[in-house]
Amino acid sequence: MTTMFSTPKLCSYPECKAVAKKTWALLPLCYGHHDTIRLETLKYYANRMPYDHRQHYLQIARLIKRITPFYAQSVKKSDGVVKKTNEMPNRPIEALDFTIKTYAALKRNGINFENELRKKSYEEITSLRNIGRKSVEEIEETLGIEFKPAKEDAK
Ligand SMILES: [Zn+2]
């Protein structure tokens, strides 16, 4: 009888050698570190816990940045204000400043990165479960975008 073993992935947390069982923004992590970072993030979104109290998260934030592709662009807002978004990575939604409600709803809808949001039309975003008007506004503000209707009126 033969059994195939694949090499287990190790936790990405600095100095941690435990086997990775979970991922956080595509980074493999052990149960312990995944849980600590998840809890820090929940606290952060619930009470706006200051960033420097998210010690475990900050340890891996640099790694998350490294694996996410960077792009540079300027976003022109409806009021004509050009918002510079140079060197903005395709950030995992964990790294964005969403409320816990919006964050949880996006996760439940299988959305993990900001570029998945940028691609959506207004109809698509509002058809997601638990994404109401407030969440849509929040996403638009956070990303500096405006969701456009799927079909333009043919003229
Ligand atoms: Zn670990």
Side-chain angles (χ1 to χ4, degrees), residues 11-13 16-18 29-33:
C11 177
S12 306
Y13 195 87
C16 182
K17 300 275 189 289
L29 290 176
C30 67
Y31 278 128
H33 282 122

Side-chain angles (χ1 to χ4, degrees), residues 6 19 25 34 36-37 50 53 56 59 61 80 85 89 97 99 105 107 113 126 134 137-138 141 146 148 150 153:
S6 54
V19 174
H34 182 270
T36 336
I37 288 158
H53 291 186
H56 289 86
Q59 282 290 327
T85 54
D97 204 20
T99 58
K107 275 286 178 190
F113 287 94
T126 49
K134 270 197 144 177
E137 281 171 11
E138 188 188 328
E141 260 174 45
E146 199 182 332
K148 298 279 192 312
D153 287 353

Side-chain angles (χ1 to χ4, degrees), residues 27-45:
L27 282 179
L29 290 176
C30 67
Y31 278 128
H33 282 122
H34 182 270
D35 220 41
T36 336
I37 288 158
R38 193 180 60 86
L39 288 175
E40 283 183 358
T41 301
L42 287 177
K43 274 194 222 159
Y44 173 74
Y45 287 112

Side-chain angles (χ1 to χ4, degrees), residues 80-91:
V81 175
V82 176
K83 201 175 163 191
K84 271 255 181 180
T85 54
N86 278 342
E87 289 199 2
M88 191 188 276
N90 180 16
R91 292 164 294 185

